[in-house]
Amino acid sequence: MRFGILAHSAEGAALCFLTFCREGFRRMGPHMHPDVMLDCAALAHAMPAWDAGDHQTVRAILADGVQRLAEGGCDFFACPDNTAHIALELAGQPLALPGLNIGDVVAEDAKNRGMRRVAVLGTRFTMDGPVYQRALPAVGIEPRFPSAEERADIDWVIFDELVEGVFSDESRRRYIEIIARLKRDDGCDGVALVCTEIPLLITPDVSPLPTLDSTRLLARAAFEVATGERPMPTWRGGPIAG
C-alpha cells in the first residue's frame, strides 16, 4: 500500500510527511513506515487563481498532482491543505485516486472528543469558504469564525510568515488572543487549526482551547488506511452530500 501526499504548501506537506513516517516508527518499529510519495507543485502557480476566485483552475492544478501520484504507484492520496479542499470539492472529473477529505477527518475527531462548538482558524479562503461550514454541522457541531479584523490578522500571518517558515512570538500572541476571545465570547470548546501550518505556531500547551490539528490528524488517518486499520477512502473529489 502506497500513500500519496498531494502538497499545496511546503510547510504543511512536510509536517504531514514527517507525522506519517514517525507514526510508523512508533507503531511498526525503527525506520519502518508504509510507502509514501509526495507531489508538490509550487504554491505560486496557484496563487493568481486563488486571488481571482478561479477555483476550477486550482482544481486542475491539484488534479494533475493526483495523476502524478497515481502514475507513481500510489493507492490513495490526502491533501494536507484545508484551503485546497474548496477546489477539490468542486464538481468535475473524478480524480485519479481516491482520497481522504481533511474536513471530514477533523470533524470526526471533534465529534469523538465530545466537542459541540468549534472555532475555525485558517486562511481567509477557508474561513469564508464552505468546507467546515459543511463538515462540522454534518456531525452535529457548530462552527464559529473569527471577526473580520481577526480573520485579516490570521490570514496575514499565514501568507506572510507561516508558509515561508517564519514563526514569531508576536504572531503567536495574536493567535492566542483570538482563540481566547472565541472561547470567552462565543463559548467555543475546541479550536480547529485548519491551515496546515498553524499547528507549528500554536501548540496544545499554549492554546486556550483544546486543538484539532488538521495536519497531524490527516497524516494519522492516512497511516491507518495504509495499515488496514481504516477503510480505503472512496471520495475522488467533488461535492460531499451533507
Side-chain angles (χ1 to χ4, degrees), residues 10-204:
E11 292 289 337
L15 179 59
C16 181
F17 172 79
L18 289 171
T19 301
F20 180 86
C21 292
R22 288 168 179 166
E23 193 71 5
F25 304 157
R26 185 177 70 85
R27 297 177 58 180
M28 300 174 73
H31 316 301
M32 179 55 72
H33 57 75
D35 287 353
V36 56
M37 290 182 62
L38 188 151
D39 181 88
C40 185
L43 179 59
H45 298 312
M47 283 309 300
W50 280 119
D51 289 335
D54 181 6
H55 297 161
Q56 285 292 353
T57 292
V58 178
R59 191 186 198 277
I61 292 169
L62 295 169
D64 286 346
V66 178
Q67 181 64 45
R68 289 189 292 271
L69 290 171
E71 291 169 357
C74 294
D75 297 286
F76 72 103
F77 84 95
C79 181
D81 189 289
N82 291 271
T83 299
H85 283 68
I86 297 171
L88 291 170
E89 290 187 7
L90 291 176
Q93 290 295 314
L95 300 173
L97 291 172
L100 292 165
N101 182 288
I102 197 169
D104 291 333
V105 169
V106 170
E108 174 188 311
D109 191 65
K111 180 181 179 181
N112 289 343
R113 292 168 65 182
M115 295 179 182
R116 302 294 298 274
R117 183 177 293 166
V118 169
V120 178
L121 273 63
T123 67
R124 65 186 184 277
F125 307 111
T126 300
M127 290 184 288
D128 293 341
V131 174
Y132 285 93
Q133 295 187 45
R134 172 197 63 79
L136 289 171
V139 296
I141 296 171
E142 180 185 359
R144 303 291 290 192
F145 298 90
S147 69
E149 179 183 356
E150 291 168 339
R151 293 186 198 201
D153 289 348
I154 291 166
D155 188 77
W156 182 90
V157 169
I158 291 168
F159 283 107
D160 283 64
E161 294 186 355
L162 302 189
V163 299
E164 301 291 337
V166 176
F167 306 95
S168 70
D169 290 339
E170 181 181 356
S171 294
R172 183 176 293 107
R173 285 192 294 270
R174 177 59 174 147
Y175 272 50
I176 290 170
E177 178 183 85
I178 292 168
I179 296 168
R181 189 201 64 76
L182 287 161
K183 177 182 180 180
R184 181 184 67 248
D185 296 349
D186 289 26
C188 293
D189 54 9
V191 58
L193 306 178
V194 297
C195 162
T196 45
E197 290 80 20
I198 294 177
L200 296 168
L201 182 72
I202 299 299
T203 53

Side-chain angles (χ1 to χ4, degrees), residues 76 100 105 108 216-226 230:
F76 72 103
L100 292 165
V105 169
E108 174 188 311
R216 292 183 173 93
L217 288 172
L218 184 68
R220 290 174 183 134
F223 181 88
E224 291 171 0
V225 172
R230 177 186 286 255

